[in-house]
């Protein structure tokens, strides 16, 4: 199964942030790969989905080994120690991907809703002047270089 099809804990947040479903986001990234924030977000999401799957696998394996009906003679401290190390590594990876994705989404400009168009306002007041009514227009060749 492709990581784009695996669920992640941040799928709803990505859909909300970009204003489209996950399938639409993957399609948009394939059609217009020049959107770096979307491309990075989808890559991080794929890594996160894989890390979360690893966490779930180890958790399920430990739960199975520790099930109440399980024979205690089958327990192995070495296997549980290895699973604890594996779980720590998977959780560290998950936390790193969550942090990176969160930072990316916080630094992005808002994606949803129309961008309001406002006229540019200058900090300085605009000054307009008019010529006094008695001023004559400039002659047609005023300011021109003399002919040789």
């Amino acid at each position: 199964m492709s990581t784009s099809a695996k669920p992640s804990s941040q799928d709803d947040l990505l859909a909300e942030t970009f204003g489209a479903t996950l399938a639409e986001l993957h399609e948009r990234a394939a059609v217009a790969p020049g959107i770096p924030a979307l491309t990075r977000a989808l890559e991080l999401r794929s890594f996160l989905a894989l890390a979360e799957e690893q966490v779930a696998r180890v958790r399920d394996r430990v739960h199975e080994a520790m099930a109440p009906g399980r024979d205690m003679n089958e327990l192995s401290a070495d296997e549980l120690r290895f699973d604890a190390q594996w779980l720590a590594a998977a959780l560290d990876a998950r936390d790193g991907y969550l942090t990176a994705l969160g930072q990316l989404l916080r630094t992005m400009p808002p994606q949803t809703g129309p961008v309001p168009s406002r006229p540019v306002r200058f900090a300085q007041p605009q000054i307009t002047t008019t010529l006094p009514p008695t001023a004559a227009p400039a002659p047609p060749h005023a300011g021109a270089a003399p002919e040789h």
Side-chain angles (χ1 to χ4, degrees), residues 17-34:
T17 301
F18 287 99
T21 66
L22 201 56
E24 293 168 337
L25 293 177
H26 281 288
E27 186 177 316
R28 189 185 305 169
V31 172

Side-chain angles (χ1 to χ4, degrees), residues 2 7-8 13 31 35 38 42-44 50-51 56 61 68 82 86 94 101 114 117 120 130 138:
S2 169
S8 87
L13 178 62
V31 172
I35 306 171
L38 176 59
L42 290 176
E43 285 176 352
L44 285 169
L50 186 59
R61 188 169 50 239
F82 180 74
W86 187 295
R94 179 183 182 272
L101 185 58
S117 74
V120 176
T130 57

Side-chain angles (χ1 to χ4, degrees), residues 26-80:
H26 281 288
E27 186 177 316
R28 189 185 305 169
V31 172
I35 306 171
L38 176 59
T39 303
R40 287 186 184 112
L42 290 176
E43 285 176 352
L44 285 169
R45 185 224 159 267
S46 293
F47 298 152
L48 175 64
L50 186 59
E52 288 178 342
E53 181 185 14
Q54 290 173 338
V55 169
R57 281 184 184 180
V58 176
R59 177 203 58 204
D60 294 346
R61 188 169 50 239
V62 170
H63 282 211
E64 183 182 327
M66 303 300 289
R70 187 85 186 243
D71 184 5
M72 287 191 186
N73 292 329
E74 294 178 8
L75 282 176
S76 167
D78 288 336
E79 285 180 20
L80 289 173

Side-chain angles (χ1 to χ4, degrees), residues 83-93:
D83 284 338
Q85 291 172 346
W86 187 295
L87 183 62
L91 286 171
D92 285 346

Side-chain angles (χ1 to χ4, degrees), residues 75-128:
L75 282 176
S76 167
D78 288 336
E79 285 180 20
L80 289 173
R81 196 173 304 111
F82 180 74
D83 284 338
Q85 291 172 346
W86 187 295
L87 183 62
L91 286 171
D92 285 346
R94 179 183 182 272
D95 291 345
Y97 295 135
L98 280 173
T99 300
L101 185 58
Q103 288 174 347
L104 175 68
L105 296 179
R106 277 191 301 279
T107 59
M108 283 179 27
Q111 299 290 315
T112 58
V115 177
S117 74
R118 306 181 290 195
V120 176
R121 296 193 183 265
F122 295 100
Q124 301 166 341
Q126 185 176 6
I127 300 173
T128 57

